[in-house]
Amino acid sequence: MIFRPLFDPVSSTYTYLLGDAASGEALLIDPVYEQVPRDLALLQELGLRLVATLDTHVHADHVTGAWRLQQRCGSRIAVSAASGAAPLDLPLQHGDRVTFGSRHLDVRATPGHTGGCMTYVLDDQRMAFTGDALLIRGCGRTDFQGGSPQQLFQSVHGQILNLPDGCLLYPGHDYRGVTVSSVAEERRFNPRLGGDVNLTDFTGYMQALHLPHPRQMAQAVPANLRCGRPEGDAEPDAQPTWAPLTLRFSGVWEIEPMALLEHAAAVQIVDVREAAEFIDPLGHLSGAQLVPLSQLMDRLDTLDRSRPVVTVCRSGARSAQASLLLAKAGFGQVANLAGGLLRWRIEGLPVAPGSA
């Protein structure tokens, strides 16, 4: 099985990718709207086909990427039927099973943080994805969206902490950078729900929290009740239109050699190698401007911000870094030549006159 935990730093949300290597089918748990390009890039690089997205609940601190992913790759949207979210392809009930290839997740209803919380347990019970019902050494709040401390206490003890001791627990969030716990750890060390804490202790603890509402709540909850579908179906298109590009999981947009050859007249080609390399036997591209990576940030004023920029080097490594630096400096149309000049020459494409 392929497993990748992903993180959204704005909302401290964990997204989990699970894939069956044999079939190429994959699931995403709790995708984040703004991180969809990242998730699609990872799926592409790993050769996986997204069959479904599963949200653990209707989130109040970020907007789900479920609808956006469905538009891009046809994945089914799965959320608790009790959540009130719509439209759903898979309205989940306690005891349901969501398959991906030869693997599956068992669905356990764990309400209490919200009225529609779900925990997803891997078929061999080695992993469980608890959303906000059980956090690492904590739990989700219970003071809105149908929350109930009594219900959450029963959910955690009856559906999560009764899993095998070694079952790894992956939460929906962590605000300290902790990534994983286990049933045995939480049963022993969780200060809200572990040890000798009883229902009276827990209820008193939760009622005394007095937390402010999440900052994005007014926007996130209505959007998530629509499964992340924007009002008016207006999705911002993050795909550049000036050339056919591919977004890599590293965050770098890449252009293939043949595509650059076809669009060369409309772009600025910036070679970021050192001066001696520019005239070495590998050659350089016709019309390329030499701006060594070591000088790039000091020579930004030599580039036209209104025109697309394609960065080039020997293998694509230095130019990938250059493209990221240019993007951070405010250049809105930047791509890296995939594979660099080595790929360009292997594909038999022309270099500047005078190059070997």
Side-chain angles (χ1 to χ4, degrees):
M1 191 187 78
I2 297 169
F3 174 61
R4 299 290 185 274
L6 306 166
F7 186 67
D8 174 55
V10 175
S11 61
S12 297
T13 298
Y14 286 117
T15 297
Y16 300 102
L17 170 67
L18 294 89
D20 176 59
S23 67
E25 293 188 347
L27 305 175
L28 275 170
I29 299 173
D30 286 340
V32 175
Y33 189 92
E34 291 80 5
Q35 298 292 351
V36 165
R38 174 203 67 185
D39 299 345
L40 289 170
L42 181 58
L43 287 161
Q44 181 184 43
E45 290 185 5
L46 297 180
L48 296 172
R49 179 173 64 88
L50 185 66
V51 296
T53 57
L54 295 82
D55 276 290
T56 53
H57 61 292
V58 171
H59 307 278
D61 48 16
H62 71 275
V63 176
T64 177
W67 178 84
R68 195 175 181 190
L69 285 160
Q70 184 185 61
Q71 299 306 297
R72 296 298 178 90
C73 49
S75 50
R76 295 174 295 170
I77 296 176
V79 189
S80 166
S83 68
L88 303 180
D89 301 297
L90 297 173
L92 298 176
Q93 305 275 0
H94 180 80
D96 284 348
R97 176 177 292 183
V98 181
T99 62
F100 57 110
S102 62
R103 308 301 299 268
H104 69 267
L105 293 175
D106 289 315
V107 177
R108 296 190 175 197
T110 50
H113 168 58
T114 74
C117 286
M118 292 291 194
T119 290
Y120 304 116
V121 182
L122 192 62
D123 43 35
D124 58 10
Q125 296 195 345
R126 293 186 179 182
M127 306 167 76
F129 304 91
T130 61
D132 290 12
L134 183 64
L135 304 176
I136 297 174
R137 306 301 193 268
C139 65
R141 61 195 297 168
T142 58
D143 57 337
F144 61 81
Q145 285 185 273
S148 162
Q150 295 82 7
Q151 206 171 34
L152 184 57
F153 186 88
Q154 293 166 0
S155 293
V156 170
H157 283 274
Q159 299 298 334
I160 300 175
L161 295 183
N162 63 345
L163 289 163
D165 284 358
C167 179
L168 297 178
L169 301 178
Y170 293 91
H173 302 276
D174 191 90
Y175 304 98
R176 299 166 299 151
V178 185
T179 58
V180 63
S181 185
S182 72
V183 168
E185 287 178 54
E186 295 308 313
R187 195 185 291 137
R188 181 179 178 186
F189 297 117
N190 191 298
R192 301 185 186 184
L193 289 152
D196 295 323
V197 172
N198 65 14
L199 177 57
T200 301
D201 296 329
F202 179 68
T203 301
Y205 188 114
M206 299 305 291
Q207 290 176 343
L209 286 178
H210 304 303
L211 298 172
H213 281 182
R215 286 174 295 178
Q216 294 193 53
M217 181 176 173
Q219 295 77 36
V221 172
N224 289 326
L225 288 170
R226 300 189 302 268
C227 301
R229 185 174 189 162
E231 291 185 295
D233 298 349
E235 180 195 358
D237 190 359
Q239 181 71 33
T241 58
W242 56 271
L245 306 181
T246 300
L247 179 64
R248 297 302 179 193
F249 185 52
S250 61
V252 173
W253 287 100
E254 286 192 342
I255 185 168
E256 294 296 316
M258 186 58 71
L260 176 56
L261 184 65
E262 294 171 355
H263 292 79
V267 306
Q268 303 169 87
I269 301 174
V270 178
D271 193 317
V272 300
R273 296 175 296 165
E274 296 301 316
E277 296 176 273
F278 193 69
I279 55 173
D280 72 9
L282 192 59
H284 59 267
L285 302 189
S286 179
Q289 178 181 350
L290 176 64
V291 184
L293 181 59
S294 58
Q295 304 173 25
L296 180 62
M297 301 310 290
D298 295 325
R299 294 178 55 184
L300 295 178
D301 58 354
T302 66
L303 304 178
D304 184 351
R305 291 176 179 268
S306 67
R307 295 178 60 209
V309 177
V310 174
T311 55
V312 179
C313 71
R314 176 181 174 275
S315 67
R318 282 175 286 176
S319 52
Q321 176 64 12
S323 70
L324 291 173
L325 290 173
L326 288 173
K328 289 180 180 178
F331 285 77
Q333 303 176 93
V334 185
N336 180 40
L337 176 61
L341 279 161
L342 293 176
R343 271 275 306 279
W344 185 273
R345 295 300 295 262
I346 287 172
E347 295 188 14
L349 300 179
V351 294
S355 299

